[in-house]
Amino acid sequence: MGTGTGTISLMQQVPPPSAHNSSFARSQIHGLTGIRALAALWVVVHHFHQPLYALFPGAQGGHDYIESGFLGVEVFFVLSGFIITYTYADQFERFTMGTYTWFVLLRVARIYPVHLVTLLAVLVLVVAAGLKGLNLDFPQKYTMGNFMANILMLQSVPPFSAWNGPAWSICSEFAAYLAFPLIALWVARIRNARAGLTAAAAVLLGGTALMLLIVAYINPSPTSHELIWLRISTEFTAGALLYAGWRHLGPMRQGPWWGWVAVVAVAGVVVLLGVIGDGSPFVLATVPLIGVFVLACAGATGWLLRLLGSKVMIWGGKVSYSVYMTHFILLMAFGKILPWDAYVDSSLETRLGVMAAYYLMVIIAGASCYYLVEEPARRAIRRTADARAAQPVVVS
């Protein structure tokens, strides 16, 4: 059709890729959903070690394992690489900007609403503490520049830091999402299980060796900028490669033997934590075993699947991100509003009640955030992303 300007315009309805359809979904790997609950629990216990030790000094007997709870993030990173690749890798066998935009929007929907709400909650606490003249831990990080960096999800980019302690991980996680098409290209070239699992082992062992060198000679903090980026790049990539190998295992992809592989991996982690101990960042040496554990849970059947796939574990896995993002804020508030030091000389029943109240509030806050913020926002943004993917394209 002529337009009078010599330009021919065609209105072309381009159907979205299959993944753009809101009905698209891979079947859920229940074993991997369940271990999210375990990882979140480990992190929560780790961060709540101060009230736990104060109220129950005997708990320090488990110090080596409680102080190593930051390794729950390692589980999340490996798991994320595995699941993201399982769900989306096929969509990037042929890269298009439309698919990439759709994917990024879905990733924003997954992590940003909860991040924003929890960041604003910390802002309220900071302002309230200032008005009441209360001292904050690490007050130097509560600056306006740092706040704006957190709004833009740049809290792990030097020189910034996270207002909400656990939020450092989602900045690096989002960077992994942005780089995912490159990882997907690597995965697409892997045609057999040996190649995928060998590549995963090489990444896990090489990345872990570099982490330990950084701990020994550069910066021992697990949340130093150097380690943050090495942790996510190693573990997310390894998770993707573990899936690349696992998907080619055929009949061996699932079976009861994976339960015993998981047991051996956990036993190895327990032994290493007992040997290294004392909350040392050298416990990052367990990362390859964590990778094996995630792989084993993906193939779990029998007793392990019944455990990880139980209703309680699946629910815990679903709310785990909201629990992870809210629990540190509650810890900040408890330290000022319901200080554990006031109860150290109380009866056993009272101390148990206080500790139980802390954990119960963590679960309630996490579940509330999931049902009121995470899920509604994710669905709303997903609908927008799907609608955008299905819009007609004008070709001139």
Side-chain angles (χ1 to χ4, degrees):
M1 178 184 294
T3 63
T5 61
T7 301
I8 299 176
S9 295
L10 299 176
M11 182 64 77
Q12 192 174 42
Q13 182 72 34
V14 180
S18 59
H20 290 175
N21 191 311
S22 60
S23 64
F24 168 84
R26 291 273 196 175
S27 59
Q28 188 179 56
I29 304 177
H30 290 299
L32 296 187
T33 301
I35 64 174
R36 292 175 61 87
L38 298 178
L41 176 62
W42 199 7
V43 174
V44 170
V45 171
H46 165 59
H47 282 151
F48 274 72
H49 70 275
Q50 285 185 312
L52 182 62
Y53 295 162
L55 296 173
F56 305 97
Q60 295 190 53
H63 178 269
D64 292 345
Y65 304 99
I66 293 171
E67 296 298 317
S68 300
F70 70 88
L71 292 173
V73 177
E74 270 53 53
V75 178
F76 281 127
F77 282 168
V78 175
L79 183 61
S80 181
F82 194 105
I83 290 294
I84 292 295
T85 308
Y86 168 71
T87 307
Y88 298 108
D90 292 348
Q91 306 304 316
F92 289 100
E93 289 184 353
R94 186 176 67 87
F95 180 88
T96 67
M97 186 53 67
T99 299
Y100 184 59
T101 301
W102 170 85
F103 170 76
V104 170
L105 282 174
L106 293 193
R107 295 298 88 206
V108 168
R110 181 68 179 86
I111 64 176
Y112 191 76
V114 172
H115 166 60
L116 180 60
V117 167
T118 52
L119 175 60
L120 294 176
V122 175
L123 176 62
V124 170
L125 287 180
V126 170
V127 172
L131 293 175
K132 290 185 174 292
L134 298 175
N135 293 324
L136 292 168
D137 295 331
F138 310 108
Q140 67 275 10
K141 75 178 182 179
Y142 299 112
T143 65
M144 185 52 62
N146 222 358
F147 179 80
M148 293 309 300
N150 278 253
I151 286 283
L152 298 173
M153 216 151 53
L154 298 174
Q155 59 269 23
S156 292
V157 177
F160 305 116
S161 58
W163 272 40
N164 178 21
W168 67 265
S169 62
I170 62 167
C171 169
S172 54
E173 176 93 3
F174 190 68
Y177 297 156
L178 295 179
F180 177 69
L182 297 177
I183 299 173
L185 288 176
W186 188 1
V187 168
R189 292 174 177 270
I190 293 174
R191 302 298 184 184
N192 59 73
R194 177 180 295 180
L197 297 179
T198 300
V203 169
L204 283 169
L205 294 173
T208 300
L210 288 175
M211 287 185 231
L212 297 180
L213 286 173
I214 289 175
V215 167
Y217 297 107
I218 299 177
N219 194 325
S221 171
T223 52
S224 67
H225 288 111
E226 296 89 350
L227 276 175
I228 283 175
W229 293 103
L230 187 53
R231 287 166 73 184
I232 185 63
S233 58
T234 295
E235 294 155 15
F236 186 93
T237 303
L241 294 171
L242 285 170
Y243 167 72
W246 179 78
R247 71 173 177 176
H248 291 297
L249 283 174
M252 293 185 63
R253 194 163 50 193
Q254 290 185 309
W257 53 84
W258 286 114
W260 297 110
V261 173
V263 169
V264 170
V266 170
V269 170
V270 169
V271 170
L272 276 178
L273 295 185
V275 171
I276 300 171
D278 202 31
S280 167
F282 283 103
V283 296
L284 286 167
T286 61
V287 165
L289 289 172
I290 288 173
V292 172
F293 175 69
V294 170
L295 178 66
C297 290
T301 60
W303 66 269
L304 184 56
L305 181 59
R306 287 194 295 274
L307 171 64
L308 297 177
S310 66
K311 290 182 179 180
V312 171
M313 294 296 287
I314 293 296
W315 182 82
K318 287 180 178 179
V319 303
S320 61
Y321 174 57
S322 285
V323 168
Y324 175 74
M325 291 294 288
T326 56
H327 80 277
F328 203 79
I329 301 170
L330 291 179
L331 181 61
M332 293 170 60
F334 291 154
K336 307 298 181 184
I337 300 171
L338 187 63
W340 47 86
D341 290 343
Y343 299 94
V344 294
D345 296 322
S346 299
S347 66
L348 175 62
E349 292 78 8
T350 299
R351 286 181 284 130
L352 284 170
V354 171
M355 202 69 221
Y358 288 163
Y359 287 132
L360 181 61
M361 287 303 299
V362 165
I363 295 171
I364 292 173
S368 298
C369 185
Y370 174 77
Y371 289 113
L372 299 177
V373 178
E374 182 180 344
E375 266 297 278
R378 184 188 65 81
R379 289 177 179 174
I381 298 174
R382 171 112 198 194
R383 286 193 296 269
T384 300
D386 288 344
R388 177 172 179 169
Q391 283 179 353
V393 177
V394 178
V395 181
S396 298

